[in-house]
Amino acid sequence: MPMHQEAFLDHVQERGEYQTREEAERVARVVLALLGAHLVGTVRAALAARLPETYALVLLNPLQAAEPLSPERFVRATAAWIEGATEKTALWDVGAVLSTVAAAAGEDLTREVLLQLPPGYDLLFGHPRPT
């Protein structure tokens, strides 16, 4: 069952310590658009099914990344899309959204998502892999 939009935004706003709901929503849209460009097939569809419809549509945007971004480049790309963001604040933004996505997805689906991404994304999702 998908997480409700209000609950999703509450989690993002709380985890990101954002002052306004609008700020949490803007960050969520940017991070989910970038994430969706890196996921394919049934994993992307299954993840979208766990998100509120508004954010599922952002994730399912037909854009595809030309190449997979390393976690560092993903954070830099996020910073480029959020007005006034730095790499440090973008890292915070990415963590707030992706940890909320992981909570909505559950352990098994989060593991499948991480298999489609380059190494290091586990930390962005708040699910460090054992070494």
Side-chain angles (χ1 to χ4, degrees), residues 28-53:
R29 287 179 177 279
V30 168
V31 173
L32 288 171
L34 286 168
L35 178 64
H38 289 81
L39 299 177
V40 296
T42 59
V43 170
R44 187 165 93 164
L47 182 58
R50 303 271 178 98
L51 298 176
E53 183 178 5

Side-chain angles (χ1 to χ4, degrees), residues 50-61:
R50 303 271 178 98
L51 298 176
E53 183 178 5
T54 299
Y55 300 111
L57 293 173
V58 171
L59 184 81
L60 292 172
N61 185 333

Side-chain angles (χ1 to χ4, degrees), residues 19-113:
Q19 297 294 320
T20 67
R21 181 68 124 228
E22 292 75 24
E23 188 178 5
E25 182 164 0
R26 184 181 72 236
V27 166
R29 287 179 177 279
V30 168
V31 173
L32 288 171
L34 286 168
L35 178 64
H38 289 81
L39 299 177
V40 296
T42 59
V43 170
R44 187 165 93 164
L47 182 58
R50 303 271 178 98
L51 298 176
E53 183 178 5
T54 299
Y55 300 111
L57 293 173
V58 171
L59 184 81
L60 292 172
N61 185 333
L63 297 176
Q64 284 293 293
E67 63 179 284
L69 295 178
S70 68
E72 296 80 15
R73 288 182 60 211
F74 187 91
V75 169
R76 281 197 294 269
T78 301
W81 281 96
I82 297 174
E83 185 178 332
T86 65
E87 285 184 35
K88 189 173 183 177
T89 62
L91 179 60
W92 184 265
D93 297 335
V94 168
V97 175
L98 294 185
S99 65
T100 301
V101 167
E107 290 290 325
D108 292 340
L109 182 53
T110 298
R111 199 170 13 262
E112 289 181 50
V113 167

